[in-house]
């Protein structure tokens, strides 16, 4: 069907060319003086129209190479299997993390109250509400003590009696409950209440039109391949929604969290605002962080990370002097990490609750407290489960899918942009020293949801967003997108763009398919775009690749074979190219420092896969196929990664299931 459509377009283009050529001849032969005066103009117009028609036809006929996740003139990135034989033995599926103990009988509620679940208390603790008494200690953020150069100070205030289901005038609390004299149960809560001063200030500000809330959900150290391996429930949810955009060419621009989240949150490289000499002196209060722009437009802001000692602005840096957002989780997590709850429980657990769930409860309460009438911007970064170990990512799938499902249940998806993303891939462990690991480290995952009404109301922006899925993009571009969302229909002038987003292009704008790593501000040692070079058709690896391709095609013909579908023979190899990622990526070992004395350490080149992109002419009837064959240099095996039919006579279109060939994986030793 697809090839038939292409032929129909070719016929239409040929007819159009013939008609326009005939018109131009008639014009040229005319003796009318007025016509003669316009001959040159009309011929130029005719040529322009012909050129436009042919370009449109060629553009529509271009087939995306199914062996690539990104296939543009500026960047080709090979498609890799998350369960590639070279890494599959490293994978281990995970069930939910087993935090011991009974379910919690207390929970925070929107508006800043704490509720008691009497059923849980009776079933699991064998107590009635009248058997317990509870107090709470307010947790307050403190300015740093003299000599302390990290934002690590907090204080616990004296206890106060806890009244359930009554809003507390606090942001974070430690609750102690006497369980009928048997034991003291301790639980920590972040609370979200409406704050009078903030509401008075922001209620008077007119938000942008159209107004979209922003929810940024970061997951530390998760590559796209890692996401496909371990976040299966979350991935299934995303696919079912039909409103998420998959940024297939998303590539990191720095080594670890800070040099990647800095582009997202500020639109700048770290060296533009900070360096190591300022580690103990510089606060980030005066840095233009994106949520401040939203705050100036009347948005309520939330900032939360579940790993306080490794926070984006805190690990090796001084953090903030004043509270950076309207709702700020850090003091609670500092208190928790120094608490008896942390000491007595297994790692990753706060009582029977996994660490990220507490942060996600904070996001839930924030979204529900703000409701539909108060614009908000939330940024939450999960690191605790995913940062250090390859397979611990599987634990994070469960809390992530539950949060997304709740956001949909609340209706938050109807008025919010929701961005789920990784900052970079895994930087530790044995997978990093594999060929697949080179891609993993550099290519995190990113899915962006926009409400359906927004996409319908702004079809041009929706088209650009759709096209951006097939472009080389970075977190600089996400920052530029967030800037544009403050005034979605306003196109920045060049001066405004340089001032606001010097390194990024909004995903809602038209991004050129000719964009390269250099144009996207991706350093060479982070760039996984393939470097292509022509190779000799008689080279042994090319001939072997062609042999494997022909075996694959004829296997398909035998599956579909009828009397009118004879086997194909190789006529000749019309084109052969070798595709590999650049040598600096293959030799990369580690990155040193962020700004001062920034350097890269290189070692031995990792040798594993090389891709041959082969175009074949076959007999009989001149069918043409293009295929990518992956040569395992170590094992000396050849696998057909993809294959598609560029041209054939009608009988071969009916003989060969092209869609199945695209998904075919055929290997030959």
């Amino acid at each position: 069907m697809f090839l038939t459509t292409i032929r129909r377009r070719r016929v239409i283009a040929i007819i159009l060319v013939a008609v326009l050529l005939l018109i131009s001849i008639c014009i040229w032969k005319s003796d009318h003086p007025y016509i003669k005066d316009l001959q040159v103009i009309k011929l130029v117009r005719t040529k322009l129209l012909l050129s436009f028609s042919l370009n449109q036809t060629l553009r529509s006929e271009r087939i995306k190479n199914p062996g690539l996740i990104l296939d543009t003139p500026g960047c080709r990135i090979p498609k890799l299997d998350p369960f590639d034989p070279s890494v599959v033995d490293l994978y281990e599926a995970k069930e939910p993390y087993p935090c011991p103990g009974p379910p919690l009988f207390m929970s925070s509620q929107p508006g800043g109250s704490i509720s008691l679940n009497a059923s849980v208390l009776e079933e699991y603790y064998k107590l009635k509400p009248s058997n317990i008494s509870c107090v709470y200690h307010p947790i307050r953020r403190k300015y740093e003590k003299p000599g302390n150069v990290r934002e690590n100070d907090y204080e616990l205030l004296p206890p106060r009696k806890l009244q359930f289901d009554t809003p507390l005038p606090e942001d974070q609390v430690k609750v102690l409950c006497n369980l009928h004299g048997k034991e003291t149960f301790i639980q920590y809560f972040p609370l979200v209440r409406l704050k009078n001063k903030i509401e008075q200030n922001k209620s008077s500000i007119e938000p942008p039109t159209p107004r979209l809330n922003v929810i940024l959900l970061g997951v530390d150290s998760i590559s796209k391949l890692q996401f496909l391996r371990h976040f299966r429930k979350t991935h299934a949810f995303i696919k079912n929604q039909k409103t998420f955009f998959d940024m297939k060419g998303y590539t990191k621009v720095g080594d670890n969290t800070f040099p990647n989240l800095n582009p997202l949150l500020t639109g700048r490289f770290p060296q533009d605002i900070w360096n190591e000499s300022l580690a103990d002196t510089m606060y980030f209060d005066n840095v233009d962080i994106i949520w401040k722009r939203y705050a100036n437009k009347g948005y309520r802001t939330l900032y939360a990370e579940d790993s306080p000692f490794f926070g984006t602005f805190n690990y090796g840096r001084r953090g903030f002097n004043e509270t950076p957002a309207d709702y700020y989780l850090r003091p609670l997590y500092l208190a928790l990490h120094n608490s008896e709850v942390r000491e007595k429980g297994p790692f990753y657990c706060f009582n029977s609750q996994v660490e990220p769930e507490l942060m996600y409860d904070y996001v839930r309460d924030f979204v529900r407290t703000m409701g539909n009438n108060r614009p908000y911007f939330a940024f939450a970064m999960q690191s605790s489960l995913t940062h250090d170990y390859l397979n611990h990512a599987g634990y994070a799938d469960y809390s992530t899918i539950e949060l997304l499902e709740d956001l949909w249940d609340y209706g938050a998806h109807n008025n919010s942009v929701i961005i789920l993303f990784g900052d970079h891939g895994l930087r530790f462990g044995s997978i990093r020293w594999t060929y697949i690991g080179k891609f993993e480290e550099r290519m995190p995952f990113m899915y962006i949801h926009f409400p359906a009404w927004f996409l319908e109301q702004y079809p041009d922006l929706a088209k650009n967003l759709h096209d951006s899925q097939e472009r080389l993009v970075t977190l600089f571009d996400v920052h530029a997108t967030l800037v544009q969302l403050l005034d979605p229909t306003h196109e920045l002038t060049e001066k405004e763009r340089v001032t606001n987003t010097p390194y990024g292009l909004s995903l809602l704008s038209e991004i050129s398919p000719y964009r390269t790593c250099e144009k996207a501000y991706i350093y060479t040692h982070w760039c996984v775009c393939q470097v292509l070079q022509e190779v000799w058709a008689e080279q042994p690896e090319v001939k072997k690749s062609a042999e494997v391709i022909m075996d694959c095609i004829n296997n398909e013909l035998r599956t579909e074979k009828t009397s009118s579908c004879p086997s194909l023979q190789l006529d000749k190899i019309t084109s052969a190219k070798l595709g590999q990622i650049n040598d600096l990526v293959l030799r990369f070992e580690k990155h040193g420092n962020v700004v001062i004395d920034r350097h890269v350490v290189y070692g031995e080149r990792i040798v594993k896969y090389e891709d041959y992109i082969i175009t074949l002419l076959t007999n009989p009837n001149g069918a043409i196929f293009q295929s990518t064959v992956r040569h395992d240099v170590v094992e000396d095996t050849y696998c057909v990664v993809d294959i598609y039919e560029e041209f054939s006579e009608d009988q071969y279109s009916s003989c060969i299931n092209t869609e199945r060939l695209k998904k075919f994986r055929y290997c030959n030793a």
Side-chain angles (χ1 to χ4, degrees), residues 358-370:
L358 181 63
M359 181 181 70
Y360 284 165
D361 282 344
Y362 191 44
V363 174
R364 290 181 178 94
D365 288 347
F366 178 71
V367 169
R368 294 171 69 191
T369 300
M370 296 305 114

Side-chain angles (χ1 to χ4, degrees), residues 549-565:
I549 294 168
M550 294 308 302
D551 286 345
C552 173
I553 294 170
N554 285 317
N555 278 346
E556 174 65 19
L557 283 173
R558 281 191 287 273
T559 303
E560 301 287 333
K561 192 168 183 179
T562 68
S563 58
S564 61
C565 296

Side-chain angles (χ1 to χ4, degrees), residues 461-649:
L461 300 183
K463 179 186 181 302
N464 290 337
L465 189 60
H466 179 271
D467 291 346
S468 293
Q469 295 180 110
E470 308 292 339
R471 300 291 185 266
L472 186 65
V473 299
T474 71
L475 286 174
F476 284 124
D477 303 318
V478 180
H479 178 271
T481 307
L482 296 175
V483 170
Q484 183 175 353
L485 286 175
L486 287 169
D487 192 355
T489 59
H490 172 65
E491 186 173 346
L492 296 179
T493 65
E494 182 60 21
K495 182 178 180 181
E496 288 173 327
R497 193 193 69 77
V498 170
T499 301
N500 289 278
T501 62
Y503 307 114
L505 300 173
S506 170
L507 301 174
L508 297 169
S509 67
E510 188 174 342
I511 298 178
S512 170
Y514 291 90
R515 196 184 205 194
T516 61
C517 284
E518 182 181 4
K519 292 178 180 177
Y521 297 94
I522 300 169
Y523 295 134
T524 304
H525 56 277
W526 302 134
C527 179
V528 291
C529 298
Q530 276 190 338
V531 179
L532 290 180
Q533 64 181 86
E534 297 280 350
V535 290
W536 185 38
E538 294 299 313
Q539 185 174 314
E541 292 86 355
V542 174
K543 294 176 72 174
K544 181 64 176 178
S545 297
E547 177 186 322
V548 175
I549 294 168
M550 294 308 302
D551 286 345
C552 173
I553 294 170
N554 285 317
N555 278 346
E556 174 65 19
L557 283 173
R558 281 191 287 273
T559 303
E560 301 287 333
K561 192 168 183 179
T562 68
S563 58
S564 61
C565 296
S567 296
L568 298 181
Q569 290 81 43
L570 175 65
D571 183 347
K572 67 176 180 178
I573 299 169
T574 61
S575 172
K577 297 177 182 178
L578 173 62
Q580 290 184 310
I581 51 176
N582 75 75
D583 196 60
L584 295 185
V585 171
L586 294 174
R587 292 176 47 228
F588 178 89
E589 286 194 356
K590 66 178 181 178
H591 191 283
N593 292 359
V594 178
V595 180
I596 297 177
D597 192 28
R598 183 175 67 241
H599 61 280
V600 179
V601 177
Y602 297 103
E604 293 294 321
R605 186 176 186 270
I606 287 182
V607 177
K608 181 61 176 175
Y609 293 128
E610 52 188 21
D611 288 354
Y612 287 92
I613 298 90
I614 310 292
T615 304
L616 305 174
L617 178 64
T618 61
N619 283 323
N621 296 325
I624 299 173
F625 295 89
Q626 185 176 111
S627 176
T628 300
V629 177
R630 186 155 294 152
H631 178 210
D632 186 330
V633 179
V634 177
E635 303 293 334
D636 197 28
T637 58
Y638 293 78
C639 288
V640 174
V641 177
D642 69 83
I643 182 170
Y644 61 92
E645 190 179 11
E646 286 197 335
F647 174 77
S648 73
E649 296 298 329

